[in-house]
Structures are given as structure tokens and as C-alpha cells.
Amino acid sequence: MATERRKHVVAKRAKKRLGDDAVTVVVMRLYVAGRAPNSVKAIANIEAICRQHLKEGYKLEIVDVCEHPRRALDDGVLVTPSLTKVSPSPGANIIGNLSDTSGVLAAMGITTTKQ
Amino acid sequence: MNDTPLSTDRRLAPDASEAAFRQWLRRLVTGADELKAFDAGEIDAVMDRDSGSAVLLPEAQSALHDSSRIVLNALDALPGEVCVLDSNGVVVMANKAWRLSGVAHARAGLDVRAGENIFAACRDVPAFERVYAEEMDSGLRQVLTRVRQSAVCRYVCDASQPRRVCTFTIAAIAGEGPTHAVITREWSSEPTLPKHSRRRAEPAVAGAGNQLLAALSPREFARLASGLETVTLTYGEILYEPGEPMQAVYFPSDCLVSLLTLVEGRRALEVGLVGREGMIGARLALGAATSSVRALVQGTGTALRMTSARFLREFRRSPSLQRTLFQFTDTLMIQISQTAACNRFHIVEARLARWLLMTADRMASPEFHLTHEFLADMLGVRREGVTMAACALQQRKLIHYRRGDIKILDTPGLEAASCSCYRYVQTRAANN
């Protein structure tokens, strides 16, 4: 009971901090190929986008397909870099080095917020 | 897709066939978005379901090749000495500082080069470095088998003059496959003492109560004194475990240490008792690097401690220390063999009496503290056996025993109650 109340308080604080349109945490997974150029760019781009538009309301997992190829194949990933939006639904998938910020935001369903 | 004769080995295709390789890779790509990104040059790798692996595009390959070269160069640029080992202990790479240091120190300090096995190097060290090499061997094995994440090992190079000490820090490199390890090596000229039992370090005081040291001439003692430090050893502290390297030797001043043999790794039986008349770690003088027994502090007090390496150096150069130590070792052997016979032939009550007298002699006090459990371990009997024997001695007004506090009330009476072993060992020790 106490835990639930604490969770509720945390959610309220998150809502206050992030604004109404960023209450839920966006969970993403980025598949990359080691430190290859496009992969490095993709990591930098998505991190910048998240910092600017999602603040702390996101979770980003980076999967190196050179180390975990089976995981990528099981997740249906064909090429890297590849960004998958895990939650909230609807899911989305973006291919490439994620340099097109507006395209990424639109595909991810993220509403831009003024800084 | 499978009709192509090309395989994933084409990753290493020369420039001339890059276009063909790229074309082959493109055939693995399905989906409009994927193809668009592929053609735009925004793709690094394509997943190949047949081989179950990621196939890198030529640009990504060369970039990764460059980046691994950068990592190697970065390691070379580090001022610290670093080497990387594979899971078998073979050196995969050693950085420039490590290589140069190996030359500068004439390959002292467990120096290994690329392609060499560090475990083989640990086996191939001079006798007096063996104790450190074994510690290193064990630490590294624990890291490589993921028992520990890291280990720090001190290694004294006795062969070098002035004497050098290096500290190895071993850390596991986590990954998907077998664990690798990275080792850093730092040199110093002053030895650092082992961490255990460092309660209070003070300069050694001449004639600090240890009879073995007191038997040395003042000149001999003065030379030893610079390597001795006073430490407090507390009840229950373990100085050595069987099979483990002896990092330091101890000369008890007013503490008491039991030497225990372990059976099946857990049941302990006392085989020897050392106090102010002797030392702990005399086995080093016989050429052994590891302990054969567990050395357990059972009477809190002070002792003088010296590092094993220093002790061995002093032992080699001092005939009088050698003589004194051999006498003590002989006495200890008499005590151990007599204890073995005593444990087999004499009743618990007589053995307890002998043991209390020996303790009182070494503590130089008729009062001390010991629990039933401890006494049971010492005598190799059940706790009930100790209770019965202690009650019997108390009824005869030879001792007073209450909650582990023991006081000998009648020493001649207790001697009469003890078995002949006590008097025998005393006489033999006196004759030495």
C-alpha cells in the first residue's frame, strides 16, 4: 500500500517536471554495430533528441549486434543502426543514423516541447 | 538469397570487389525503409540470417579497424604499465610502458611479453619469489573464473638490488565469451605489509618479550629490529590457512597461537601451540612458501611481525638466527609428535590438564579465557567431553572454570593430573 502511494507520488512529480505530454516513459532500443560511423552518429543523435525532448522521461537500451547478433535476429532487426520504440504503443521502427530529428520525433510520436 | 556463391567471408573483400560485396549485401535487405537507408549510406551492418551474424559494410569495417588501432595506440600512450591476458593467461598485448619497464628492470617483477603465459611465468620464478608468484597465480585464476571481479597482488623482487616491490592490480574484462583480464603494474621501492592483523603498528621495542629474539645477541637483534613491527593479534584471528602463502612471520610477545591441522577441510585438531618461546612461520626457514597448518590466535596479545621476504634475507645471513630457529623447530616437532601420540593414548582429562599448563606457560599467566567450543577443537573431542573433564579438574580444586574464564589454582596438582607428555616436552625443550 505504502509502495503504491510512493509510486503515485513519483508519477505526480514526473508529471510536474516533464509536462503533461511527457508523463509516460518512452522505452527505446537502438541496435548498432560496434563503433561503426553510422552507429556512433545514431547514438549521439538519439541521445541528443532524448535529452532535448524527453528530459528524464525515457529509457534507451543500446544493443551491439556484433556482440549479440542472435538478439537482433530474434527481434526482427535487418540492418543497423535501427531504433525501435518498445513502449508506449504504437511501436515504431526507424532505420539509419537518425540525423533527421523531426522524422525521428514524428515516428516516435513525441510532441516537441519548447525549451 | 541463397543462390549466391558469396559468403560472409566477403567481409574481407578487397576494394575492387567492394561494389559486388555491397550488391550482395543489398540482396539481404528487405523493406523499403531499410533499402532507402542502405542506398543513402546510413547503414553499418546487415543481419545475415543464414550465418546468424551481422555483416559489416566495407566503410564500417575499416572504421572499426581504425578504432581498434586507436585503442591499441591509446594503451601505448598510457604512462602506466598495462597488459591484457586472455582466459588462459596468455598475454594478448602489453603496452609500451610495460614493455619498456620489462627491459629496464631486467625482466624482474613477473615480466611477461605478448604470447607468453603468465601462469607458466609464475611457476618459473626464483624460490624466494614463489610465495608472491603463488598469490598472483591464485588471484588471477579467481578473476579469470569470475570468482572475483578484481584482485591486488603484491610482488617482491628479491633478486633486484635495490629491492623492488611491484603491485599488480588485476581486473576482469567482462564480455560475452571467456573472461579476459587486464593487469596494471606499479613499482615501488618500499615493501607494503599485508593488510591482515594490522591493528596497531609501532616500532619494535628491544627485548619485546619473545624468548627466541631475546636469545639473539644485541647486535643481531638490532639488525632485525628495523624489519619488525609490533602488532596486536586478537583472539580468533587466523594468521595462515593451510596451502596459503605465508606473507609475514610473527614472534609472539604475550599472545598465543594454535597450529591446527584440518581434516576434510573443516574439522580442526590442534597439533601445536606457540607463544613467546617461539615464532609462527618457521616453516619458511625450511624452504616452504606456504603454510601446512591453520595458525589461529587463541590468546590476544602482541607480537612482532616481519615480512617473509625480509625474514628469509635475515635468516640467510645470520648463523645465530639459523641456530636459534633450528632449535625452536626441533622443539616444535617434539611437541607436535608428542601431541599426536597424546591425542591417541591419553584420556581427555589428562590432555586438558596438559593443555592448560602449556597455555599458562606460554601466556606467562595462570588466568586466561577459552570457550568450551574452542577447547573441544583444541583437544579433538565433543563439547560434552570438555565439560566433563573441566568439571573433574574443578572438583579436585586444580582449576576454576566459569564461562570460559580459566584460572589455574594448583599448578603442581595440575601437573600431577596431566599426562607425562607435558613433562616430557618441557624437559626436551629445556635440553635444547
Side-chain angles (χ1 to χ4, degrees):
Chain A
M1 187 69 188
T3 315
E4 275 176 23
R5 195 180 301 132
R6 202 157 44 241
K7 274 182 186 168
H8 179 67
V9 172
V10 171
K12 264 178 83 176
R13 280 184 193 152
K15 191 174 178 177
K16 202 173 175 184
R17 195 167 55 238
L18 300 170
D20 284 358
D21 51 352
V23 170
T24 44
V25 173
V26 181
V27 182
M28 290 163 287
R29 204 174 287 143
L30 178 63
Y31 298 87
V32 296
R35 303 287 298 162
N38 284 307
S39 298
V40 174
K41 275 184 215 163
I43 293 170
N45 287 334
I46 191 64
E47 281 182 344
I49 291 168
C50 290
R51 265 199 310 275
Q52 192 179 350
H53 300 284
L54 296 172
K55 303 275 174 58
E56 289 161 19
Y58 72 95
K59 263 170 110 175
L60 176 66
E61 185 192 6
I62 295 170
V63 179
D64 184 350
V65 299
C66 297
E67 283 183 22
H68 308 281
R70 182 49 56 194
R71 191 162 166 208
L73 286 165
D74 291 347
D75 290 352
V77 171
L78 295 169
V79 295
T80 64
S82 174
L83 179 71
T84 303
K85 180 185 170 195
V86 181
S87 73
S89 55
N93 202 36
I94 307 157
I95 313 294
N97 60 24
L98 313 177
S99 50
D100 175 15
T101 306
S102 56
V104 174
L105 289 171
M108 289 282 142
I110 300 166
T111 318
T112 54
T113 52
K114 290 267 184 243
Q115 288 300 295
Chain B
M1 176 150 74
N2 288 335
D3 57 353
T4 169
L6 290 170
S7 75
T8 51
D9 294 340
R10 292 298 303 268
R11 271 181 277 184
L12 301 173
D15 292 351
S17 54
E18 260 185 25
F21 176 55
R22 189 185 299 277
Q23 202 54 39
W24 171 76
L25 265 185
R26 195 176 186 278
R27 295 175 66 179
L28 296 178
V29 180
T30 49
D33 288 344
E34 282 86 349
L35 275 173
K36 195 176 153 197
F38 187 95
D39 292 337
E42 285 190 23
I43 295 301
D44 289 327
V46 178
M47 302 307 296
D48 180 7
R49 288 197 176 278
D50 296 335
S51 68
S53 62
V55 186
L56 290 168
L57 267 89
E59 296 86 352
Q61 278 175 42
S62 65
L64 283 185
H65 183 261
D66 284 349
S67 67
S68 61
R69 197 160 43 78
I70 289 167
V71 171
L72 291 178
N73 288 339
L75 276 173
D76 266 352
L78 284 174
E81 298 172 27
V82 184
C83 95
V84 179
L85 306 173
D86 72 4
S87 55
N88 297 314
V90 175
V91 179
V92 178
M93 67 95 38
N95 80 341
K96 196 174 174 184
W98 181 290
R99 297 193 300 269
L100 290 176
S101 160
V103 177
H105 293 98
R107 303 214 65 190
L110 213 59
D111 190 52
V112 278
R113 292 174 181 172
E116 290 179 351
N117 190 307
I118 198 158
F119 292 122
C122 284
R123 285 192 295 271
D124 196 27
V125 296
F128 37 78
E129 288 181 18
R130 201 168 298 144
V131 59
Y132 305 108
E134 282 174 4
E135 192 191 345
M136 179 77 184
D137 182 292
S138 142
L140 187 56
R141 278 181 204 280
Q142 286 181 349
V143 170
L144 288 175
T145 52
R146 302 190 190 190
V147 175
R148 295 165 68 177
Q149 266 299 304
S150 64
V152 178
C153 299
R154 187 175 147 269
Y155 193 97
V156 180
C157 313
D158 268 340
S160 61
Q161 286 297 335
R163 202 158 68 105
R164 294 295 199 111
V165 180
C166 41
T167 306
F168 292 100
T169 307
I170 311 164
I173 305 175
E176 278 292 288
T179 306
H180 284 46
V182 59
I183 299 183
T184 61
R185 179 171 60 185
E186 288 173 70
W187 291 86
S188 60
S189 51
E190 284 299 316
T192 51
L193 283 163
K195 280 177 194 164
H196 74 270
S197 79
R198 183 180 286 178
R199 298 278 180 272
R200 184 181 54 150
E202 289 167 3
V205 185
N210 183 274
Q211 292 171 355
L212 206 142
L213 292 176
L216 299 174
S217 68
R219 202 173 142 207
E220 291 269 2
F221 182 77
R223 206 183 59 227
L224 282 178
S226 65
L228 290 168
E229 67 166 347
T230 308
V231 289
T232 302
L233 303 179
T234 45
Y235 170 82
E237 192 171 347
I238 292 173
L239 304 179
Y240 305 143
E241 282 284 14
E244 288 189 359
M246 294 179 277
Q247 306 257 3
V249 297
Y250 300 83
F251 298 92
S253 301
D254 55 3
C255 64
L256 194 61
V257 179
S258 272
L259 308 178
L260 306 169
T261 291
L262 300 192
V263 182
E264 291 152 3
R266 56 189 176 87
R267 292 201 64 187
L269 175 67
E270 189 195 63
V271 291
L273 193 61
V274 181
R276 63 199 171 111
E277 85 295 348
M279 70 171 285
I280 320 296
R283 199 164 180 252
L284 276 175
L286 304 175
T290 56
S291 176
S292 62
V293 291
R294 172 183 286 172
L296 177 73
V297 180
Q298 56 137 309
T300 301
T302 55
L304 294 172
R305 179 174 64 181
M306 181 182 269
T307 62
S308 297
R310 173 76 187 264
F311 169 74
L312 281 174
R313 265 214 326 277
E314 297 295 346
F315 178 74
R316 272 186 233 113
R317 65 193 284 201
S318 165
S320 72
L321 181 61
Q322 288 172 14
R323 212 168 30 249
T324 317
L325 269 178
F326 286 143
Q327 277 172 4
F328 164 68
T329 310
D330 184 47
T331 310
L332 187 64
M333 279 170 68
I334 292 168
Q335 192 202 121
I336 289 171
S337 52
Q338 198 64 27
T339 306
C342 184
N343 283 339
R344 170 68 182 82
F345 293 117
H346 294 145
I347 59 165
V348 180
E349 192 182 316
R351 278 160 56 197
L352 178 63
R354 171 183 66 87
W355 198 86
L356 295 176
L357 287 166
M358 283 173 67
T359 306
D361 286 347
R362 282 155 183 80
M363 294 288 273
S365 162
E367 287 180 64
F368 37 89
H369 180 90
L370 293 162
T371 62
H372 263 64
E373 198 172 2
F374 211 92
L375 281 168
D377 264 357
M378 296 303 114
L379 299 171
V381 294
R382 288 169 178 275
R383 285 175 58 179
E384 295 79 15
V386 174
T387 310
M388 283 172 67
C391 285
L393 292 177
Q394 185 153 279
Q395 276 172 4
R396 290 163 67 182
K397 294 192 169 34
L398 300 175
I399 62 165
H400 181 260
Y401 184 94
R402 191 164 183 276
R403 292 171 188 258
D405 289 323
I406 296 176
K407 186 176 182 183
I408 296 178
L409 302 171
D410 177 3
T411 307
L414 198 61
E415 267 192 58
S418 79
C419 54
S420 57
C421 302
Y422 171 69
R423 187 51 54 204
Y424 177 78
V425 174
Q426 286 283 89
T427 317
R428 290 290 300 271
N431 290 342
N432 262 341

